[in-house]
Amino acid sequence: MLKYIDVTKRYGDVAAVNGVSLEVEGGRVTALLGPNGSGKSTLMKMAIGVVKPDSGMVEVDGVNPAEDPCEARRLIGYSPEDVVLYESLTPAEVFSFLGEVYEVPGSELERRVRRYVRLFKLGEEMGKLCGELSRGNRRKVSLVSALLHEPRILVLDEPFTGLDPKSARVLKELMRKMAYEGRVVLFSTHILELAEAVAERVVIMHRGRVAAEGEPSELREELKASDLEDVFMRATGLSEELEELVKSLWGE
Amino acid sequence: MWLTLARVLAKEAQYRARRRYGRRAYRLARSMLLSSLLSIFMFTAISLGLSSAVAAVPAEARVEASIWVLGVLGVFEMFIGGFTMASTLQVLLADRLLDFITPLPVRESDVRKALLALVVIWGGVAMLFLVVPGAALAGYLAGSIGVFAGGVAEAAFCLLMAAGLGYLAGSVSPKATRRPLIRAASTLVWLLVFFSGFMFNFVSRLAERLELEPLGPLLQLTPPFCIVAAGASGGYAALSSACWMLASLLVFKAGARRFWRAVAAGEALLAAEAKVSGWRLWRGLLPASLRKDLTLLSRTPRVLASTIGYMAFPALYIMMSLTEAGAASRFMAAILFFFGGLTGLSAQYLYSLEGEGAKLLYHLPVRRGGLAFRKACTTMLLLAPLSLMVLAAIGYFSGAAAGLLAFLSYMLSSSSSALLTSYLAAKEMPDEPTAWTPQTISAATRVVVMIGMLVLYGGLAAALAAIGFFISWLAASATAALAGLLLLAIGVKAIKGLSTPL
């Protein structure tokens, strides 16, 4: 289980995350929604100990990543929003390196890599340097990197960005399958339809706080909203602001 | 328009080159022209300094001396000019800086002009000052207007050749990571750059010998010497000069065309040219993390050249000392120990090698201690061939027993130094995910580490020299081996204690 207990993170005067308490359980896919700068990525980075909370605590299957980030990173498969790879290594070389870091035995690594290469249609890209790959293929390599050690907790920051529809579909199924196996699956997205299609639970962040959380159908009912976009707008209080923006746009 | 475009591109390319290669941190010159002015002053000083050697030659030999000096300066101009232009242009391509410009309503001719201005105004034009002031001085000292005119023509055509070569190298270098042949050539060029100090040394020695050796007729025909020779005396040198000028023009034209093709095709060209065979995961005895470092190193010619230079220099010095004194000499243990210590400092290069990929390490279960140990192991692995060469040389000159003991002290001192350097570097790496460049560790810290290691290994080497002098080479070698072992144990203990994660 991934647990946030009253966590706060400030950058100067700005509270990126402000007193968030959240439990992300295994067995279902959880989507983290929110406008830019709402604290989604900060919250995810806290899980692998890259960002340490100023107060509060994060628990990754009982491990505090602020104290033992290495252990937390062993449990988590993390794919960041901005893909980071070795530009002058090929995906095959990157996976070999990651296999050693995560202590995946050689034959097992081979099996897993072949499986994901087939799923994401990466075969032709495996011998190219990562620096030569397109944005979408770089994303795929980053996703496979997060999945290679078959983590108990999967944390994916904007994983659908740049993916073609086929690969997006594969990823959705993979996330569902992993959740079905009892793993924790948390991902962030701006695409509300995606969240609605994949996630069984939605957490809406706004200005560093949890504005709403629950199953999409529950939230719709609770906020008397027609769809998830409506839920999002109501929960974040953006509907009025947006209406004024749209009016001003047409008035120009 | 094209001038604004050139200014923007020059600033951005220079900024990125500095960030990537760690030249003077991230600070930009307030004005691009100002940074050229600084180069102009520097080159003028070098040019006048070297040309003043002509004054030391008898009056009747001054024309010949001028041809020598100006010719060598012309070679420098080509070399430094080509290198500067190539490094700026390759950043333009590798970082796809022009991808931002191409969708804008900017005429192709303006982009071409901007690229030309980029290499000529910012960087290129300053190169002329390596030759022109020297030509004026040499012409005055030799009393020949032909020397001056020849020098100016030489400077212009060397610049043209440098620009052509810069264009060619700049357009090819983004592929250097993939193609072994280009990588090897690039590494060789970088090695030449790092050892260019020796070339200046060569010129100053040459100046001393000018009086003794008359200029051969072959040199009068050799470009770029032939241009000044043609200015001074005409003859066959003029024919050779004409050929050289034509060649410069052709190289420039070909280079510009090749570069423009790479710019215009951009990503598509790179992708199309990337021929990919099959793939397979790394298997075998060599751990993947070490293999990763070796692969990155082999695909980064600049860092590879620095590492080779750092490692080879002490080993070469040791072998030179061996031929003179033999391993059983009283000071050999001290020399081996000291230079072994210097060699291990090359471990620091393996950190900046990570580049942008370092950010990935922050997401992985990697501890600083483990990282430091792996980097030290890679350094030792790289050192192995050199160590074997040293062993063979010691064995040849001094016999097996003396050789083995001396070799042991060299191995232990270089390994301990690699461990200690790696430990200090791993400790200094930032806590936040950052790309690691040569600037990641501050210059002050690097200097302190360097001085600290020099004091440590230098001090111990002095003590070993004293033991060798007052007792025997055997005692010195045994003490060196012991000291190396002790430092190795300290290094291992320090790394084991470094359990903090990245």
Side-chain angles (χ1 to χ4, degrees):
Chain A
M1 183 193 284
L2 179 58
K3 213 166 164 183
Y4 295 89
I5 308 161
D6 197 21
V7 286
T8 296
K9 178 70 191 176
R10 292 185 159 276
Y11 294 106
D13 291 337
V14 181
V17 173
N18 198 354
V20 169
S21 290
L22 186 68
E23 281 184 17
V24 189
E25 294 150 355
R28 56 182 178 174
V29 179
T30 304
L32 207 51
L33 293 170
N36 293 334
S38 59
K40 303 185 299 288
S41 294
T42 308
L43 212 57
M44 291 182 144
K45 284 176 187 166
M46 280 180 186
I48 55 162
V50 169
V51 171
K52 291 180 175 58
D54 297 330
S55 63
M57 201 174 80
V58 183
E59 267 184 23
V60 177
D61 269 358
V63 176
N64 181 352
E67 284 171 5
D68 192 355
C70 280
E71 193 46 43
R73 289 170 199 172
R74 246 184 271 279
L75 298 168
I76 291 178
Y78 171 70
S79 172
E81 183 181 5
D82 295 320
V83 173
V84 281
L85 294 168
Y86 286 98
E87 302 288 305
S88 46
L89 291 186
T90 64
E93 291 163 349
V94 171
F95 297 150
S96 302
F97 168 61
L98 293 175
E100 184 187 290
V101 171
Y102 286 117
E103 295 168 5
V104 182
S107 52
E108 181 58 23
L109 182 72
E110 183 96 35
R111 191 188 64 77
R112 290 182 196 174
V113 169
R114 290 205 178 275
R115 176 170 172 249
Y116 291 122
V117 164
R118 190 170 47 81
L119 282 172
F120 285 108
K121 298 228 176 298
L122 272 172
E124 285 181 17
E125 317 300 324
M126 289 293 280
K128 287 183 187 169
L129 301 178
C130 290
E132 295 170 350
L133 299 180
S134 68
R135 195 164 161 234
N137 283 326
R138 285 166 64 83
R139 171 72 60 194
K140 290 181 198 173
V141 174
S142 174
L143 289 168
V144 175
S145 302
L147 293 162
L148 268 186
H149 59 300
E150 298 197 337
R152 275 152 63 181
I153 299 165
L154 194 62
V155 177
L156 308 176
D157 200 353
E158 300 284 351
F160 294 97
T161 311
L163 284 190
D164 54 87
K166 241 183 196 176
S167 304
R169 175 71 201 275
V170 168
L171 180 62
K172 279 182 214 167
E173 293 305 323
L174 265 171
M175 284 159 72
R176 281 195 194 113
K177 185 173 178 281
M178 288 187 81
Y180 177 77
E181 288 166 356
R183 298 175 209 263
V184 174
V185 180
L186 175 70
F187 78 103
S188 68
T189 182
H190 289 291
I191 309 164
L192 302 177
E193 291 83 1
L194 255 174
E196 193 150 32
V198 187
E200 289 142 299
R201 184 172 171 239
V202 173
V203 178
I204 299 173
M205 298 277 299
H206 186 51
R207 291 181 184 155
R209 291 176 184 276
V210 175
E213 62 169 300
E215 286 178 22
S217 57
E218 278 176 11
L219 286 174
R220 269 201 301 269
E221 213 167 287
E222 197 179 305
L223 292 163
K224 297 187 175 58
S226 54
D227 53 20
L228 196 57
E229 187 176 339
D230 207 12
V231 168
F232 181 78
M233 290 299 169
R234 281 166 197 256
T236 53
L238 287 172
S239 20
E240 283 173 23
E241 198 182 320
L242 188 72
E243 235 167 75
E244 283 200 6
L245 275 174
V246 172
K247 266 185 202 166
S248 73
L249 185 72
W250 283 99
E252 273 170 11
Chain B
M1 162 58 87
W2 59 269
L3 205 59
T4 313
L5 204 59
R7 194 177 294 127
V8 169
L9 289 173
K11 276 205 169 198
E12 188 62 20
Q14 197 190 44
Y15 167 76
R16 297 209 188 195
R18 280 182 179 163
R19 198 176 65 163
R20 182 172 299 169
Y21 301 127
R23 281 184 283 166
R24 265 196 287 156
Y26 299 170
R27 208 173 61 246
L28 265 181
R30 212 171 282 165
S31 148
M32 296 297 292
L33 221 53
L34 186 73
S35 68
S36 280
L37 277 178
L38 290 175
S39 307
I40 288 170
F41 282 130
M42 198 178 73
F43 291 149
T44 303
I46 292 171
S47 182
L48 291 176
L50 288 176
S51 301
S52 62
V54 174
V57 175
E60 64 274 13
R62 283 187 180 173
V63 170
E64 285 199 349
S66 303
I67 297 172
W68 261 108
V69 170
L70 296 179
V72 171
L73 284 170
V75 172
F76 276 144
E77 184 192 333
M78 255 190 316
F79 184 66
I80 300 173
F83 167 72
T84 312
M85 291 175 200
S87 55
T88 303
L89 293 171
Q90 79 101 7
V91 171
L92 274 181
L93 275 188
D95 287 11
R96 294 161 194 167
L97 295 187
L98 286 167
D99 286 6
F100 173 70
I101 306 289
T102 34
L104 299 177
V106 180
R107 277 195 300 273
E108 191 182 307
S109 58
D110 280 339
V111 181
R112 279 178 185 255
K113 271 189 223 163
L115 288 176
L116 187 65
L118 187 76
V119 293
V120 173
I121 300 174
W122 290 288
V125 81
M127 300 299 155
L128 291 172
F129 288 81
L130 257 175
V131 179
V132 175
L137 181 65
Y140 171 74
L141 291 171
S144 161
I145 190 80
V147 165
F148 173 65
V152 172
E154 184 202 55
F157 280 93
C158 281
L159 181 65
L160 204 64
M161 180 62 98
L165 292 173
Y167 269 133
L168 279 173
S171 59
V172 165
S173 56
K175 288 186 281 184
T177 41
R178 172 169 287 284
R179 308 232 172 127
L181 204 66
I182 299 176
R183 283 207 304 260
S186 183
T187 308
L188 203 67
V189 170
W190 277 112
L191 276 171
L192 282 172
V193 172
F194 293 134
F195 287 102
S196 57
F198 289 111
M199 285 167 74
F200 275 101
N201 190 282
F202 166 72
V203 175
S204 59
R205 284 187 185 188
L206 202 68
E208 287 166 16
R209 292 167 58 190
L210 283 174
E211 207 176 351
L212 305 172
E213 290 177 16
L215 197 63
L218 193 66
L219 195 76
Q220 295 217 18
L221 299 177
T222 310
F225 296 85
C226 57
I227 306 180
V228 185
S233 56
Y236 285 117
L239 194 66
S240 179
S241 299
C243 291
W244 167 248
M245 289 171 179
L246 187 69
S248 303
L249 273 170
L250 290 175
V251 167
F252 177 77
K253 225 176 155 187
R257 198 185 303 131
R258 175 71 186 79
F259 185 74
W260 181 250
R261 200 162 66 88
V263 163
E267 205 177 339
L269 180 76
L270 288 175
E273 289 187 356
K275 289 193 186 79
V276 179
S277 47
W279 61 273
R280 62 194 171 110
L281 298 175
W282 284 332
R283 286 283 182 95
L285 288 175
L286 195 64
S289 49
L290 266 64
R291 213 157 156 177
K292 180 210 79 181
D293 282 348
L294 293 174
T295 310
L296 285 175
L297 194 63
S298 73
R299 289 177 189 160
T300 322
R302 188 187 175 115
V303 186
L304 179 62
S306 324
T307 315
I308 291 174
Y310 226 114
M311 289 178 170
F313 181 70
L316 286 175
Y317 191 88
I318 289 168
M319 279 189 268
M320 274 160 59
S321 314
L322 278 171
T323 54
E324 286 164 14
S329 96
R330 290 168 180 273
F331 301 117
M332 191 43 65
I335 291 173
L336 283 167
F337 193 83
F338 179 66
F339 282 108
L342 282 191
T343 310
L345 281 169
S346 54
Q348 62 185 299
Y349 288 115
L350 297 179
Y351 285 83
S352 54
L353 189 67
E354 296 282 338
E356 284 287 322
K359 291 178 188 169
L360 178 68
L361 295 176
Y362 289 86
H363 303 160
L364 304 175
V366 175
R367 291 187 195 278
R368 284 171 197 263
L371 184 74
F373 186 70
R374 285 189 203 110
K375 296 282 183 198
C377 285
T378 312
T379 311
M380 290 178 212
L381 204 67
L382 285 165
L383 278 172
L386 279 173
S387 306
L388 287 174
M389 274 165 62
V390 172
L391 174 66
I394 297 171
Y396 180 78
F397 287 108
S398 318
L404 209 63
L405 200 58
F407 172 71
L408 199 66
S409 64
Y410 171 74
M411 274 296 288
L412 288 170
S413 89
S414 58
S415 305
S416 62
S417 160
L419 276 171
L420 290 170
T421 307
S422 188
Y423 162 77
L424 292 169
K427 208 164 173 270
E428 284 299 314
M429 287 303 150
D431 292 330
E432 301 287 319
T434 330
W436 294 350
T437 69
Q439 294 294 330
T440 302
I441 300 177
S442 72
T445 312
R446 274 181 282 141
V447 169
V448 168
V449 169
M450 173 79 92
I451 292 173
M453 298 292 273
L454 280 177
V455 167
L456 177 65
Y457 284 87
L460 284 168
L464 291 170
I467 294 171
F469 186 74
F470 290 112
I471 307 172
S472 71
W473 69 267
L474 191 66
S477 295
T479 314
L482 267 175
L485 207 61
L486 187 70
L487 286 173
L488 196 71
I490 292 172
V492 170
K493 196 167 166 24
I495 280 180
K496 269 190 177 172
L498 196 62
S499 59
T500 47
L502 275 173

